[in-house]
Amino acid sequence: MRDPGLDRAIVGGGATWADVDAATTPFGRATPGGLISATGVAGLTLSGGIGWLRGTHGLCVDNLVAADVVTAEGRLIRTDETENRDLLWALCGGGGNFGVVVSFEFKLHPIESELMFCSPAYPEGRANEVIVRWRDFMETAPDRLSGLAEFSTLPDDPSLPEHARGRRVVSLAHVYDGPADEGERIVAPLRSFGEPLVDFSGRMPYRTIQSLYDALFPKGRDRCYWKSTYLSRLDDGVIADITRGMAERPSEMTFASIWKFSGDMQRVAEDATAFGDRSMP
Ligand SMILES: Cc1cc2nc3c(=O)[nH]c(=O)nc-3n(C[C@H](O)[C@H](O)[C@H](O)COP(=O)(O)OP(=O)(O)OC[C@H]3O[C@@H](n4cnc5c(N)ncnc54)[C@H](O)[C@@H]3O)c2cc1C
């Protein structure tokens, strides 16, 4: 950390999000990362970086204030608001095309000691109804609440209740970036769209939340193909298409998630970063 003001983190080009959260959260600070702590800061940031704090603090690139980059000619250059500004713009979503970033400088933000993590898992047979209710709820949800609806198959794991093991579910995973009491109250409706099969919700430190999903994606285990698209609206027909597609999934390792975009990440102009358009909800 740079100074006692605790307003910046300087992160090496090979660091993971686990490294960053371990260094910042003891000071009650965080910068937006991704959902899996083993992913690299560099690749995730250079492609935008979408995580649990997007509603309150935007994408990773919205918090990137400076970087040190080694260019193809082997020159080490600094980019920030005043120096090589066009390069900073390009790094904010343009991927690893502009040089090797050896150091990133991010804004830090105060974070509560505990946050409310919400994650009820409903039987997939009820997905259409649950996602319609989730969509309607999220229309007026506060910016502090960021989340997604996810289709997956629960592992056949003895730590899960027997009735939930190996079941196909749709989970409503959310984090409320604010006081945990307030968050618990706000997410209550998401946890009561009928009886969840199992509910993983609870109050916990941000750093714990940041590694909650690590076990689902052990680094190096899977060869994955991931693809995403923006939706201008999530109408009932689209929900039915997604539900039908997932019912026909080729493998229990196939999953799909619908991410709601709102708040700070959408307040950044399309041309302000190489990430581009933020308008899709
Ligand atoms: C399990 C998993 C979960 C994910 N979750 C999220 C998520 O929640 N939010 C999200 O936004 N994305 C997520 N992603 C996507 C993720 O942002 C990309 O896979 C990203 O490329 C990972 O970066 P990396 O540094 O770990 O990967 P790498 O494969 O090491 O790098 C990816 C790209 O970045 C380049 N690169 C790496 N380091 C540097 C550097 N220092 N300077 C310049 N270029 C560099 C590489 O050359 C390569 O082109 C996830 C991916 C996985 C596998």
Side-chain angles (χ1 to χ4, degrees):
M1 218 132 333
R2 191 181 67 171
D3 63 37
L6 300 177
D7 62 342
R8 295 283 189 273
I10 295 173
V11 181
T16 64
W17 286 106
D19 298 326
V20 175
D21 294 332
T24 60
T25 53
F27 296 94
R29 298 289 186 279
T31 193
L35 267 50
I36 309 285
S37 78
T39 44
V41 171
L44 197 133
T45 299
L46 296 172
S47 53
I50 308 170
W52 295 123
L53 304 182
R54 62 187 180 275
T56 39
H57 304 302
L59 304 177
C60 296
V61 292
D62 302 329
N63 294 277
L64 181 64
V65 290
D68 294 324
V69 181
V70 177
T71 65
E73 315 88 72
R75 275 193 313 133
L76 175 64
I77 59 173
R78 170 99 179 153
T79 166
D80 59 23
E81 264 299 295
T82 53
E83 224 178 322
N84 300 306
R85 209 172 151 183
D86 54 344
L87 178 58
L88 185 63
W89 181 91
L91 295 180
C92 289
N97 296 300
F98 304 97
V100 176
V101 182
V102 290
S103 170
F104 294 86
E105 187 170 331
F106 292 104
K107 283 184 225 165
L108 288 175
H109 308 278
I111 191 104
E112 303 281 337
S113 57
E114 274 194 336
L115 301 179
M116 182 64 194
F117 175 71
C118 163
S119 187
Y122 294 97
E124 198 178 293
R126 292 188 45 225
N128 271 327
E129 168 219 335
V130 166
I131 295 178
V132 165
R133 291 174 75 172
W134 171 71
R135 173 200 64 197
D136 294 346
F137 174 87
M138 291 305 279
E139 284 287 311
T140 55
D143 291 347
R144 284 171 180 259
L145 188 67
S146 292
L148 52 99
E150 177 158 288
F151 291 78
S152 65
T153 306
L154 293 176
D156 188 9
D157 188 316
S159 68
L160 293 174
E162 209 169 333
H163 70 274
R165 294 178 202 162
R167 290 281 304 275
R168 290 183 168 193
V169 292
V170 59
S171 308
L172 304 179
H174 296 75
V175 172
Y176 184 79
D177 180 19
D181 279 347
E182 202 173 278
E184 189 161 5
R185 196 167 27 80
I186 282 168
V187 303
L190 294 174
R191 302 174 65 192
S192 52
F193 293 164
E195 186 68 27
L197 195 61
V198 55
D199 189 345
F200 300 102
S201 307
R203 298 163 177 226
M204 54 195 91
Y206 173 70
R207 190 175 163 197
T208 306
I209 295 172
Q210 284 295 89
S211 58
L212 271 185
Y213 285 2
D214 289 5
L216 299 179
F217 300 99
K219 196 169 170 63
R221 185 193 64 184
D222 306 330
R223 290 172 183 232
C224 317
Y225 175 68
W226 299 38
K227 185 173 169 136
S228 60
T229 189
Y230 285 129
L231 296 172
S232 57
R233 63 192 187 287
L234 189 61
D235 61 29
D236 294 2
V238 172
I239 293 172
D241 283 346
I242 298 172
T243 301
R244 195 177 318 112
M246 283 310 286
E248 294 164 5
R249 58 179 172 273
S251 153
E252 297 310 320
M253 293 178 79
T254 304
F255 74 94
S257 48
I258 310 168
W259 297 50
K260 169 72 177 165
F261 288 167
S262 58
D264 264 22
M265 73 158 285
Q266 288 198 308
R267 296 194 182 100
V268 177
E270 178 171 355
D271 59 2
T273 64
F275 184 84
D277 179 35
R278 317 283 189 102
S279 63
M280 296 292 163

